[in-house]
Amino acid sequence: MPAYRCCRLQGDAMMIFVVLLEDAPGKANDVRQQNMPAHLDFLERNAAAIKAAGPLRDGDGAPAGGLWLVEATDREQVDRLVREDPFWPTGLRQSVRVLAWHQVFAGGIRLGAQK
């Protein structure tokens, strides 16, 4: 079975970012339910950059936030996507953390040296 690579890199022009989105306590259920259709439409419209996305849950299974893998040229592009997400103006997100990521292992295979 071939190794899974998260995102296709085009030279050094594109980077992969992990976006950790933490929900504000007490807002997750109502706000998420009301805005989910618009949020999913947003993810589909931005699928060229947002390669994977999904909810995070705490130890009790309650919604805790979300995680995205984003392919972008720079952090500013990622920040724009976060602000354009329909969840952003609702106050659902308590915090956002954007980290650059370099994939070095997948499917049991080393993919390259760590940068």
Side-chain angles (χ1 to χ4, degrees):
M1 179 157 131
Y4 171 75
R5 290 194 76 142
C6 158
C7 309
R8 182 177 53 89
L9 294 177
Q10 301 171 353
D12 291 333
M14 300 299 277
M15 295 173 55
I16 303 169
F17 295 88
V18 175
V19 181
L20 296 170
L21 305 139
E22 183 182 13
D23 288 351
K27 288 199 170 210
N29 290 332
D30 291 340
V31 172
R32 187 180 299 278
Q33 185 177 32
Q34 291 171 355
N35 294 280
M36 185 59 72
H39 172 70
L40 293 174
D41 288 345
F42 163 80
L43 293 175
E44 289 174 350
R45 283 192 317 274
N46 290 283
I50 302 172
K51 301 301 183 179
L56 297 172
R57 300 207 175 265
D58 67 16
D60 296 325
L67 184 141
W68 299 352
L69 291 180
V70 178
E71 187 177 42
T73 55
D74 55 39
R75 183 187 168 121
E76 288 75 28
Q77 184 181 358
V78 180
D79 289 340
R80 277 192 303 277
L81 285 169
V82 169
R83 289 189 307 271
E84 291 170 3
D85 180 0
F87 282 155
W88 185 253
T90 68
L92 174 65
R93 304 304 190 192
Q94 174 175 290
S95 68
V96 178
R97 188 165 182 203
V98 178
L99 303 165
W101 181 64
H102 178 73
Q103 186 176 13
V104 297
F105 186 82
I109 298 170
R110 293 182 196 181
L111 302 176
Q114 186 173 2
K115 290 184 180 179

